[in-house]
Amino acid sequence: MGSPLIVTIDGPAGVGKSTMAKLLARHLSIPYLDTGAMFRSVAWKLGQGSWEWDEARLKEALDGIEYSLSGVGGDSVLSLNGVPIGDEIRTEEVGMWASNVATLPVVRTFLKKAQQDLGARFSLVAEGRDMGTVIFPGAPHKFFLDASVDERAARRFHQLRAMGRPASLAELREQIARRDHQDRNRAVAPLKPADDAVVIDTTEMDKDRVFAALKDGVA
Ligand code: DC
C-alpha cells in the first residue's frame, strides 16, 4: 500500500469548504477531515472563556481529548473520545469561540499532531485554514477557496433559512468579517494560501463549477 493521498482545501469562513471537501472526498472514495470541527469541539468542550486559561490548565484539558475518524465522503464521522461530534458546535457563537482558541499555540500544537496522525493513517481531503501551509505542506493537491464577505454572508443566510434558522444578514456579515480578521491576522498559522495552492475565487461561481474545478485539479 502506498502512502496516503492528501488533498487540502483552505479558505475563510462560509466559503463552502465543507461542501466541496465532502463532494471531492466522495469522488475520491476517501474520508474528509473537517479541522474547523476540531477547533470548534475543543472550544465547546473547554467552554466559554477557556481561551484565557493558563497554559498548564489548557494542556491538562487537551490531554483528555482524542479524535477518531471513520467513513467516506459526506458520511465521514469525526469523533471526540469516541462520541461523534454533532450539530451543537455549528453556531456562529461557537465559531467565534473556535477562532479564539485557534489563536493559542498550545491548542494549535495539540491539533497539529492530531491532524497529522490522522493524515498518516488515512487518505484525506483535509479542510481548514492552514492545511496547505502548515499541516500538510507536502500535499500533492492544494486548493484555496475564496469569496467576498457579502457573498459568504448571503450563502450562510440562505443555508440557515433552509434549515429553519432565520438570521440577520447584517449580523452574519459582521460575524464573518470579525472571524476572518482574527483568522488572517493571528501570529501562528494565519489563514493564507500556500505558495503552491490553486486559488479559486468562487464569488461568481455556482457549486457545480467549483466542484468541476476541484475535480480537474486532482485528475
Ligand atoms: O471552518 P470553521 O468555520 O468551522 O472553523 C472555525 C474556526 O476554527 C475558524 O474561525 C478558525 C479555526 N480554524 C483554524 O484556525 N484552523 C483550521 N485549520 C480550521 C479552523
Side-chain angles (χ1 to χ4, degrees):
M1 209 177 79
S3 54
L5 168 71
I6 306 287
V7 179
T8 65
I9 303 182
D10 290 303
V15 77
K17 297 184 298 292
S18 289
T19 305
M20 287 303 139
K22 286 177 195 173
L23 287 171
L24 193 61
R26 166 67 61 199
H27 174 69
L28 297 168
S29 299
I30 62 179
Y32 95 101
L33 179 65
D34 175 355
T35 62
M38 298 174 96
F39 285 91
R40 285 171 184 263
S41 61
V42 162
W44 172 258
K45 187 155 174 66
L46 272 48
Q48 183 160 26
S50 54
W51 45 93
E52 282 168 5
W53 294 357
D54 66 42
E55 205 172 292
R57 186 172 172 198
L58 280 166
K59 263 202 181 119
E60 196 185 318
L62 292 168
D63 274 346
I65 292 180
E66 207 171 74
Y67 291 96
S68 52
L69 185 65
S70 63
V72 162
D75 296 325
S76 305
V77 178
L78 180 66
S79 298
L80 189 160
N81 294 344
V83 180
I85 296 171
D87 283 343
E88 65 279 3
I89 61 164
R90 303 277 163 209
T91 63
E92 290 305 315
E93 188 186 19
V94 175
M96 197 63 217
W97 293 9
S99 179
N100 292 343
V101 298
T103 62
L104 305 173
V106 59
V107 172
R108 298 209 76 87
T109 303
F110 169 76
L111 287 181
K112 179 178 183 180
K113 181 168 185 316
Q115 291 156 8
Q116 290 180 336
D117 284 351
L118 288 170
R121 291 172 47 214
F122 299 101
S123 288
L124 293 176
V125 176
E127 59 111 333
R129 303 292 188 290
D130 58 343
M131 294 299 102
T133 49
V134 174
I135 307 299
F136 300 115
H141 304 292
K142 298 181 184 179
F143 300 98
F144 189 93
L145 303 184
D146 213 344
S148 69
V149 177
D150 285 333
E151 175 62 22
R152 287 184 282 130
R155 286 180 193 171
R156 184 82 184 129
F157 176 79
H158 291 301
Q159 198 181 37
L160 286 171
R161 208 169 50 175
M163 286 159 58
R165 287 165 47 194
S168 144
L169 182 60
E171 226 169 83
L172 281 173
R173 192 189 184 288
E174 203 272 324
Q175 286 164 334
I176 285 178
R178 196 147 44 97
R179 197 139 67 87
D180 269 9
H181 181 79
Q182 177 156 280
D183 293 346
R184 287 185 206 270
N185 292 290
R186 66 177 172 234
V188 193
L191 168 67
K192 64 171 180 200
D195 288 341
D196 53 349
V198 175
V199 179
I200 305 174
D201 184 341
T202 70
T203 307
E204 312 251 316
M205 291 167 82
D206 65 17
K207 281 181 192 162
D208 291 348
R209 270 186 66 206
V210 180
F211 183 46
L214 296 179
K215 265 197 302 196
D216 280 357
V218 298

